[in-house]
Amino acid sequence: MNAEIIAIGTELLMGQVVNTNASFLSRELSSLGINVYHQIVVGDNPTRLAEVIEAAEQRSDLIILSGGLGPTKDDITKQVLAEHLNKKLILDKSTMEKITMYHESRKRLMTENNRLQAMVIEESTILKNETGLAAGMFLTQNNQFYVLLPGPPSELEPMFIKEVKPLLMKKNQNETYIVSRVMRFFDIGESQLAAELDDLIEHQENPTLATYAGKHEVTLRLTANGSSEEACYLLLDNMEVSIQKRIGSYFYGYGEDNRLENVVADLLKERKLTLTAAESLTGGAFQSQLTSISGASQYFKGGIVTYSNESKKEILGVSKETIKNEGAVSAQCAIEMAQNAREMFNVDLGLSFTGVAGPDKLENQEVGTVWIGLSVKGQPTFAKEYHLGKGRENNRDRSVMSGLELIRRTLLNLPIHQKVFSGKKVE
Amino acid sequence: MNAEIIAIGTELLMGQVVNTNASFLSRELSSLGINVYHQIVVGDNPTRLAEVIEAAEQRSDLIILSGGLGPTKDDITKQVLAEHLNKKLILDKSTMEKITMYHESRKRLMTENNRLQAMVIEESTILKNETGLAAGMFLTQNNQFYVLLPGPPSELEPMFIKEVKPLLMKKNQNETYIVSRVMRFFDIGESQLAAELDDLIEHQENPTLATYAGKHEVTLRLTANGSSEEACYLLLDNMEVSIQKRIGSYFYGYGEDNRLENVVADLLKERKLTLTAAESLTGGAFQSQLTSISGASQYFKGGIVTYSNESKKEILGVSKETIKNEGAVSAQCAIEMAQNAREMFNVDLGLSFTGVAGPDKLENQEVGTVWIGLSVKGQPTFAKEYHLGKGRENNRDRSVMSGLELIRRTLLNLPIHQKVFSGKKVE
């Protein structure tokens, strides 16, 4: 089966929005063994949209249309496709109910446009939208498959994973099984990872290997095909052994959505441990990321953001001498922050962040210098130094990830180099 | 003149690389008044590339090809275009010299492939590459323009700005100026905004109006063309008056990147005010967003995350009676959190968030129920109730935005409906 992705939206043609949907869908389709030969972008123009659909039908089995399902006059995707396929638009009751409830609960006026959003192409399978109002659609005509998805990635991505993928796996069923495994790595760059696996990537056949650089992490997708699921798993297991041997020390987990915070959350829950944080340069970003996971109240009771030196001293009780003699960006400050926060919130683990986010130097220290402290009940509190880089956003994000990794390694007794205890370097 | 952008590269079709070149080129072309109606991606396949070039010639005056100019076997762009146009490839001496020097200075062996990189399409204008080896090309045939650019953005972007733009400005010379203005709105959905401006959008000519739904906000782009910049500004000003009259109460600022937190940060700095926050359901997300802006230390000293009832009582001093009788998700709790945080951090404004992020109900209150409290020095502390929706991420994000908007409205003395003071509803 081969596929074509058509994104609809004048904002794409104006360059206001980058077409990340096309790369997301391409990656997902490739993992299903479906080849993508064309990605197209057109504006909110019925004639041009109909033309590109027609061209796609000449060459592609599966046509995925993204965008243009919203409530405004610009949104024309389902109307154009319905007319092109000679089908009617009909009201979908459950979407209508959802839209009505949405407006009632917010006490907002419903317009004719909102009602239009509940119209779907007849004879199509409705794809549920968990994160928005526009329903997706899946339909078949003349041995061709059409998928309509909403434009916002926050709606398109879960809809594809939960609704479209299972349907495509059924349609694409032939005698070969395709099984993928995603391995996740932190603290290694994509190019270093590729270099370590150079020969494996060069001679890849079955399983295939695809690296993907996410935000501060790299994922590696292994895709095997075989005559049975078991055969696929065996191929994946064998390949994984070779990979773990080379870069296992950077490996932290499996799975598409299984980010470092999920791995840490699971560890904390498993061991019934509670955690707090005292944040300076990250300004609440660590706690925000931790509580983005539902059920966070099991291991997180609260924490503190001490952005200024005064709040570090007056609220968190960091000693005046430490700030004066060592500075806020120091091992000793990170250690006191972690320990005092742990005692203040009466929990098992206290994590702290202090450093120079940028763009300016602080205490004459380079942008990107960060100390992360960790205090575990019954163990000596320590801190670790990082030199992260230049950009403010990068430094904050990487600090959060590094803090998560520090907890993971500590809980699993994995090596942590260059720990500092109360200003004294050991190891 | 209208343009079509064709990106060539299997890595784009595999989703390994996001097509940022298309959005860069689209933005640049739009600023030149050149309309882009199609963006295309194809792989490193001669037949399919020739086909999309042919299709582009049927509908576009200017065809920009990006990628596939490198030294590997996959790089086929100039070969395919030359053959398609019945032109020869000839050696470009200056490119050859550059490639030779590059290899000599690095003591690297030159291969036949490297020599191929110095071949260009006959009769084309060579576009200099300041940041790489592959030369770009500009050529005209049958009143159609073709531009060939290298794939890496670090090479494509400077080449377009320095080499292509001046050429296009000559070719596209007419007397019209184009000026855009972006207006930003919060607390109004895209569909409601479109409904309010229905007739303006319906009859748009000059300026044109384009709505775009961002994350929890809507932007409206007005684009005017005229014989002078002044003429454009006059058209924009007139249109803005009509827009402000209808939906001015939702308007919060101008500009492409000027988000609500920037507007609030500027207000705080302007008035030399300091701010803290006490966060429950948002878990640090508000403080994180605030400190993502550099220079945040001018108005933010720190804050607290009180995720559990114990931390609200023990650390922030919310009264036991309030938690017991009113619950943590209540006006009174939000008010005490805001006021106590403001006193704890000794600042001018204290903001608080308490509510039900989801997925589960809390204290038998619906998911999406949120109270935001605001305590301003010298004024009675108040709270406002929100009913935000279903998704956890949505509820957290919208709470943060609503908190920012509450500060903005309070500082600017704009109306805030349904304020509650110490449990008592007024207004």
Side-chain angles (χ1 to χ4, degrees):
Chain A
M1 195 191 285
N2 72 67
E4 178 150 353
I5 299 166
I6 302 174
I8 298 111
T10 300
E11 69 280 8
L12 291 161
L13 292 182
M14 300 279 288
Q16 292 161 1
V17 177
V18 178
N19 192 6
T20 55
N21 286 339
S23 47
F24 168 81
L25 292 169
S26 293
R27 275 198 306 280
E28 286 297 326
L29 291 165
S30 144
S31 81
L32 293 171
I34 298 173
N35 291 316
V36 177
Y37 291 140
H38 298 85
Q39 296 171 355
I40 310 287
V41 179
V42 280
D44 309 315
N45 176 292
T47 314
R48 284 193 284 271
L49 176 54
E51 280 166 10
V52 300
I53 292 173
E54 219 170 289
E57 285 166 343
Q58 306 304 312
R59 57 198 181 196
S60 305
D61 309 311
L62 166 65
I63 300 169
I64 301 190
L65 301 120
S66 74
L69 297 184
T72 75
K73 289 218 171 86
D74 294 344
D75 296 302
I76 53 159
T77 305
K78 64 190 174 197
Q79 292 88 329
V80 169
L81 183 64
E83 200 186 325
H84 176 75
L85 296 178
N86 234 329
K87 287 188 191 284
K88 289 199 194 90
L89 288 176
I90 55 169
L91 188 85
D92 180 56
K93 271 195 184 166
S94 76
T95 304
M96 190 66 201
E97 271 167 27
K98 199 173 156 187
I99 295 173
T100 310
M101 267 176 58
Y102 174 91
H103 285 82
E104 279 176 0
S105 72
R106 280 168 187 71
K107 302 201 166 64
R108 286 207 190 154
L109 199 70
M110 258 186 78
T111 65
E112 197 51 48
N113 285 339
N114 294 119
R115 259 175 281 273
L116 186 64
Q117 233 184 337
M119 302 297 281
V120 295
I121 299 175
E122 59 179 345
E123 294 160 29
S124 62
T125 305
I126 305 302
L127 308 172
K128 273 187 208 149
N129 187 340
E130 281 187 4
T131 46
L133 293 179
M137 283 155 258
F138 185 101
L139 60 156
T140 313
Q141 184 153 314
N142 304 328
N143 282 323
Q144 232 142 4
F145 303 114
Y146 301 84
V147 178
L148 285 85
L149 300 171
S154 62
E155 300 178 28
L156 176 139
E157 295 184 7
M159 188 184 285
F160 186 89
I161 299 285
K162 288 181 191 162
E163 301 279 309
V164 182
K165 222 170 159 175
L167 283 169
L168 288 179
M169 283 168 84
K170 263 191 220 158
K171 306 282 178 197
N172 198 36
Q173 215 164 41
N174 38 32
E175 298 77 52
T176 56
Y177 284 78
I178 295 173
V179 181
S180 275
R181 177 176 301 170
V182 173
M183 297 175 69
R184 311 184 71 91
F185 301 87
F186 177 65
D187 231 6
I188 182 170
E190 192 185 13
S191 58
Q192 194 193 335
L193 181 139
E196 298 279 357
L197 305 181
D198 189 41
D199 53 316
L200 298 180
I201 291 172
E202 180 76 13
H203 302 112
Q204 60 174 302
E205 269 184 35
N206 187 20
T208 58
L209 298 177
T211 62
Y212 180 66
K215 218 175 171 187
H216 308 296
E217 56 177 347
V218 184
T219 60
L220 183 65
R221 181 190 288 274
L222 291 59
T223 307
N225 64 72
S227 55
S228 69
E229 279 193 283
E230 292 67 34
C232 293
Y233 284 120
L234 193 64
L235 286 164
L236 293 176
D237 289 344
N238 285 338
M239 179 57 91
E240 185 179 334
V241 169
S242 309
I243 294 166
Q244 291 282 13
K245 218 180 270 175
R246 296 173 190 210
I247 51 171
S249 63
Y250 303 101
F251 170 78
Y252 75 82
Y254 298 101
E256 193 70 75
D257 293 318
N258 186 28
R259 288 174 54 88
L260 203 40
E261 60 264 32
N262 300 91
V263 172
V264 169
D266 289 344
L267 271 174
L268 292 169
K269 282 191 280 188
E270 215 175 276
R271 298 173 184 217
K272 297 196 189 336
L273 293 171
T274 52
L275 167 73
T276 188
E279 302 187 53
S280 185
L281 86 150
T282 47
F286 174 82
Q287 295 170 73
S288 176
Q289 195 149 324
L290 206 66
T291 54
S292 69
I293 304 167
S294 69
S297 59
Q298 286 175 62
Y299 47 85
F300 180 72
K301 309 294 166 194
I304 194 153
V305 179
T306 51
Y307 209 62
S308 67
N309 286 351
E310 296 76 59
S311 65
K312 287 183 187 71
K313 287 184 282 189
E314 285 158 27
I315 305 199
L316 198 51
V318 173
S319 81
K320 282 177 192 163
E321 290 67 37
T322 297
I323 300 284
K324 200 179 151 201
N325 301 332
E326 317 266 330
V329 183
S330 67
Q332 187 56 32
C333 184
I335 285 170
E336 289 180 35
M337 284 172 71
Q339 186 149 344
N340 296 1
R342 186 175 66 70
E343 286 165 7
M344 186 174 177
F345 284 86
N346 191 23
V347 289
D348 303 308
L349 286 89
L351 189 73
S352 70
F353 299 86
T354 181
V356 193
D360 301 318
K361 281 187 176 187
L362 194 70
E363 299 178 345
N364 212 23
Q365 301 222 50
E366 291 298 331
V367 171
T369 307
V370 175
W371 284 94
I372 301 182
L374 181 57
S375 177
V376 183
K377 211 180 213 168
Q379 294 179 22
T381 302
F382 69 92
K384 183 167 155 51
E385 189 175 10
Y386 298 81
H387 295 279
L388 298 178
K390 288 256 147 71
R392 184 178 176 86
E393 199 189 327
N394 166 70
N395 290 333
R396 286 162 48 97
D397 289 349
R398 260 195 90 89
S399 294
V400 169
M401 297 282 282
S402 301
L404 290 166
E405 177 68 357
L406 202 58
I407 296 171
R408 190 183 75 86
R409 291 192 163 264
T410 302
L411 294 181
L412 295 176
N413 282 318
L414 296 171
I416 298 162
H417 301 293
Q418 297 183 305
K419 279 185 187 179
V420 173
F421 294 88
S422 285
K424 255 178 56 187
K425 204 170 262 191
V426 290
E427 193 180 348
Chain B
M1 195 191 287
N2 73 68
E4 177 151 354
I5 299 165
I6 302 175
I8 298 110
T10 301
E11 70 280 9
L12 291 161
L13 292 181
M14 300 280 288
Q16 290 160 1
V17 177
V18 178
N19 192 5
T20 54
N21 286 340
S23 48
F24 168 80
L25 293 169
S26 294
R27 274 197 306 279
E28 287 297 327
L29 291 165
S30 146
S31 79
L32 293 171
I34 297 173
N35 291 316
V36 177
Y37 291 140
H38 297 86
Q39 296 171 354
I40 310 288
V41 179
V42 280
D44 308 315
N45 177 292
T47 315
R48 284 193 284 271
L49 176 54
E51 280 167 9
V52 301
I53 292 173
E54 219 170 290
E57 286 166 342
Q58 306 305 312
R59 58 197 182 196
S60 305
D61 308 312
L62 166 64
I63 300 170
I64 301 188
L65 300 119
S66 74
L69 297 184
T72 74
K73 284 205 179 108
D74 294 345
D75 295 302
I76 53 159
T77 305
K78 63 190 173 195
Q79 293 87 330
V80 169
L81 184 64
E83 198 185 327
H84 176 77
L85 296 178
N86 234 329
K87 286 189 191 284
K88 287 197 195 95
L89 287 175
I90 55 169
L91 189 85
D92 179 57
K93 270 193 185 169
S94 76
T95 304
M96 190 65 201
E97 271 166 28
K98 198 174 157 187
I99 294 173
T100 311
M101 268 175 57
Y102 174 90
H103 284 82
E104 278 174 2
S105 72
R106 279 167 187 71
K107 301 200 165 64
R108 286 204 194 155
L109 200 70
M110 260 186 76
T111 65
E112 197 49 48
N113 284 338
N114 294 118
R115 259 175 283 273
L116 186 63
Q117 234 185 337
M119 302 297 281
V120 296
I121 299 174
E122 60 179 345
E123 295 159 29
S124 62
T125 305
I126 305 301
L127 309 171
K128 273 185 208 150
N129 188 341
E130 281 186 5
T131 46
L133 294 179
M137 285 154 256
F138 185 102
L139 61 156
T140 314
Q141 184 155 312
N142 304 327
N143 281 323
Q144 232 142 4
F145 305 114
Y146 302 82
V147 179
L148 286 84
L149 300 171
S154 61
E155 301 179 27
L156 177 138
E157 295 183 7
M159 188 184 285
F160 186 88
I161 299 286
K162 290 181 190 162
E163 301 279 310
V164 184
K165 223 170 158 175
L167 283 170
L168 289 178
M169 283 168 85
K170 265 192 219 157
K171 306 281 178 196
N172 194 38
Q173 214 164 42
N174 41 30
E175 296 79 46
T176 56
Y177 285 77
I178 294 175
V179 181
S180 274
R181 177 176 301 171
V182 172
M183 297 175 70
R184 310 184 71 92
F185 301 87
F186 176 66
D187 228 8
I188 181 170
E190 191 186 11
S191 58
Q192 196 193 336
L193 182 139
E196 299 279 357
L197 306 181
D198 189 43
D199 53 316
L200 298 179
I201 292 172
E202 181 76 11
H203 302 112
Q204 60 175 302
E205 268 183 34
N206 187 18
T208 58
L209 298 176
T211 63
Y212 178 66
K215 219 175 171 187
H216 308 296
E217 56 178 346
V218 185
T219 60
L220 183 65
R221 179 189 289 272
L222 291 59
T223 307
N225 65 72
S227 56
S228 69
E229 280 191 282
E230 293 67 36
C232 293
Y233 284 120
L234 194 65
L235 285 165
L236 293 175
D237 289 343
N238 285 338
M239 179 57 90
E240 185 180 334
V241 170
S242 309
I243 293 166
Q244 292 281 14
K245 218 180 272 175
R246 297 171 189 210
I247 51 171
S249 62
Y250 303 101
F251 170 78
Y252 76 81
Y254 298 102
E256 193 72 75
D257 294 317
N258 186 28
R259 289 175 53 89
L260 201 41
E261 60 264 32
N262 300 93
V263 172
V264 169
D266 290 344
L267 270 174
L268 292 169
K269 281 191 279 188
E270 214 176 276
R271 297 172 183 218
K272 298 197 191 332
L273 294 171
T274 52
L275 167 74
T276 189
E279 304 187 51
S280 184
L281 86 151
T282 48
F286 175 82
Q287 295 171 73
S288 176
Q289 195 149 324
L290 206 67
T291 55
S292 69
I293 304 167
S294 70
S297 59
Q298 286 175 62
Y299 47 84
F300 180 72
K301 309 295 167 196
I304 194 153
V305 180
T306 49
Y307 209 62
S308 67
N309 286 352
E310 295 76 60
S311 66
K312 287 184 186 69
K313 287 183 284 191
E314 285 158 26
I315 306 199
L316 198 51
V318 173
S319 82
K320 280 178 193 165
E321 288 68 37
T322 297
I323 300 284
K324 199 179 152 199
N325 302 331
E326 317 266 328
V329 183
S330 67
Q332 187 56 31
C333 183
I335 285 169
E336 290 180 36
M337 283 171 71
Q339 186 149 344
N340 296 1
R342 186 175 66 70
E343 287 164 7
M344 186 173 176
F345 283 86
N346 191 24
V347 289
D348 303 308
L349 286 89
L351 189 72
S352 70
F353 298 88
T354 180
V356 194
D360 301 319
K361 282 188 175 185
L362 194 69
E363 299 177 346
N364 211 24
Q365 300 221 52
E366 292 296 333
V367 171
T369 308
V370 175
W371 283 94
I372 302 182
L374 181 57
S375 176
V376 183
K377 211 180 211 167
Q379 295 179 21
T381 301
F382 69 92
K384 183 166 154 53
E385 189 176 10
Y386 298 81
H387 294 279
L388 298 178
K390 288 256 148 71
R392 183 177 177 85
E393 200 189 327
N394 166 71
N395 290 334
R396 285 163 49 97
D397 288 350
R398 261 195 88 89
S399 294
V400 169
M401 297 282 281
S402 301
L404 290 165
E405 178 68 358
L406 201 60
I407 296 171
R408 191 183 74 86
R409 292 193 162 263
T410 302
L411 294 181
L412 294 175
N413 281 318
L414 296 171
I416 298 162
H417 301 294
Q418 298 182 303
K419 279 185 188 180
V420 173
F421 295 87
S422 286
K424 255 178 56 188
K425 205 171 259 190
V426 289
E427 192 178 349

